[in-house]
Amino acid sequence: MLVLFPLAVLCGETGFPAEPLPPPGFPETARVRRLAETRWLQDAWSAVSARAPETVTDEFGFRAEFSCAVDSGTSRLTVFVRPENAHGIQGEWRLIRSPDTGRNEEIRIFPVDDENIFLSLTPDPADSGKSLLAVSVYGLFLREGIPLGVPFTPLLTMPLTEIIRMTQDTAPWALFRPDPAGSRDSRLIARAIRENLSVLFYADDGALDENGRPVHIEDLSPQDTPPEGTVGGVNCSGFVKWIIDGIIRPAAGNGLFIGPLKTSTSNPGSHFTEPHRETRDLFFGLDWCRNLAAAVVSLQRGETILPAESGTDVTVSPFSGGNGYYEDAGYPVAELLPLLYTLAVQEPGCFYLGALNRLRGDPPLRQYHHVAALFPYFTAEGRFAVAVFESAVETGTGVFLARNRDAFIHLSRVPLPEAERFFPQTAPAGPQEP
């Protein structure tokens, strides 16, 4: 049986504290923009659109290139200000102008080295004397309509520090200051999983039991002898159990029993779904992930914690855009990447078990039919990444998102141990005792 010991591992909860400074390494272009304001930011649309790229140097020797491009589809003109020797796209500043009126429509600022994250500054359509700030993260607006209290034109030459000062209580500036050190365990554990995938192979209904022996999930009957160099066959459910057992076994001395992982949790049943609950395994993936996550919390706290009391369900809806969390389904997979970025900043000590679900069958009912392990983290250089593992393989993030773009995913958060305490099973279990 599982023996529980306290494990002092908690998901970090950094939240979004006000940060009155730009992100580390941000190159400020305000001075060169002042020098080039008339020529590049205020001149007539036709004159700017015909201008060749130009490098502008301020009095301290800081250099930035000014250039422009006209969008072939919308005919909007974009002026690019790219600081010299910048770290990737970090610090790039863009001004977007209307093709019809030539007016300045939007400023985009890239605070970190990630083209999927930017600040959008626009005139307030309801008040011509004010401006608004929006924060876009991987295709969704985290915040929109944040008032700046100044007209749009002064923003053309305003430093980011001043914009942060005006909105330090209303904008999520901590989102742009991730702590790569907080992602250390996530990075290293994902690497350990990656390096040991070869000890597993896919087997329908396969998992390793509490003693590490390969069995079938449905009836616990033994699998055939696994090929040399492997420990057993797993399906998607058995695979995420192998990961969780790598957390549980080092502290408890054994892995998790399979039976309790099938226990029903507080899933969204109804009089429509009840007749089909067992015959179609509607909530198997959801129950399995919740029970696995609760087992880690139980180990952490030194007592048995039921899934409903564990706090492992991810239910936040941090975005002003998009759909957010649905109680009976989780999140649209299309919104998964911006959500994971936000969670990686707020909860750097966690990874997530995802239960994918779709409407299936006759009658069409929502079924949790597949599970995966998701490790969002920041590299040592501060770049965001997600390691996706499913059914004993690693899947590219883009492939995973494209394959499941029509699905929803329910996330269960799992506190990470220190990487040095993670030991997934890599050798066959010993013979069964009589």
Side-chain angles (χ1 to χ4, degrees), residues 37-243:
E37 180 179 11
T38 300
R39 181 171 171 78
W40 279 97
L41 310 181
Q42 297 279 25
D43 206 355
W45 190 100
S46 57
V48 175
S49 63
R51 197 153 282 149
E54 172 183 5
T55 297
V56 178
T57 307
D58 69 12
E59 64 271 31
F60 300 102
F62 180 86
R63 296 157 60 88
E65 183 187 71
F66 287 71
S67 62
C68 65
V70 177
D71 187 278
S72 60
T74 64
S75 297
R76 284 183 169 85
L77 173 70
T78 300
V79 176
F80 299 89
V81 182
R82 297 185 174 101
E84 191 178 67
N85 299 322
H87 185 62
I89 201 172
Q90 186 179 29
E92 184 168 311
W93 189 97
R94 299 178 185 176
L95 174 65
I96 301 171
R97 302 182 66 175
S98 166
D100 301 319
T101 64
R103 292 179 180 175
N104 296 330
E105 289 188 329
E106 180 186 8
I107 294 169
R108 289 191 179 183
I109 304 172
F110 294 82
V112 295
D113 183 21
D114 192 328
E115 63 183 2
N116 299 294
I117 299 172
F118 62 85
L119 311 175
S120 174
L121 312 175
T122 57
D124 185 352
D127 181 358
S128 60
K130 305 294 181 181
S131 304
L132 301 175
L133 168 68
V135 178
S136 181
V137 177
Y138 283 87
L140 284 182
F141 283 111
L142 179 65
R143 298 286 189 276
E144 294 178 275
I146 300 172
L148 289 171
V150 297
F152 188 77
T153 298
L155 298 175
L156 297 176
T157 57
M158 184 175 290
L160 181 58
T161 302
E162 182 63 17
I163 295 171
I164 293 174
R165 186 193 64 78
M166 291 189 295
T167 59
Q168 60 182 321
D169 296 326
T170 54
W173 294 110
L175 191 72
F176 310 123
R177 301 179 67 87
D179 177 18
S183 291
R184 171 188 176 274
D185 292 323
S186 186
R187 292 194 303 267
L188 294 180
I189 289 176
R191 181 196 299 173
I193 294 170
R194 184 179 299 120
E195 292 175 347
N196 289 291
L197 289 174
S198 62
V199 305
L200 301 170
F201 60 92
Y202 180 82
D204 187 42
D205 195 42
L208 304 180
D209 69 10
E210 70 279 6
N211 296 309
R213 298 185 179 88
V215 298
H216 295 96
I217 293 173
E218 183 175 6
D219 59 8
L220 303 184
S221 61
Q223 298 178 24
D224 294 334
T225 302
E228 184 177 355
T230 67
V231 299
V234 294
N235 65 0
C236 63
S237 304
F239 176 60
V240 295
K241 179 184 184 297
W242 175 81
I243 294 175

Side-chain angles (χ1 to χ4, degrees), residues 265-269 283 286 290 313-317 323-332 357 366 368 408-411:
T265 63
S266 55
N267 48 48
F283 304 113
L286 177 63
R290 280 174 163 171
D313 279 6
V314 178
T315 61
V316 296
S317 292
N323 296 290
Y325 176 76
Y326 288 83
E327 187 173 355
D328 62 345
Y331 300 88
N357 56 94
R366 187 162 299 280
Y368 292 81
F408 280 72
I409 186 166
H410 180 280
L411 300 180

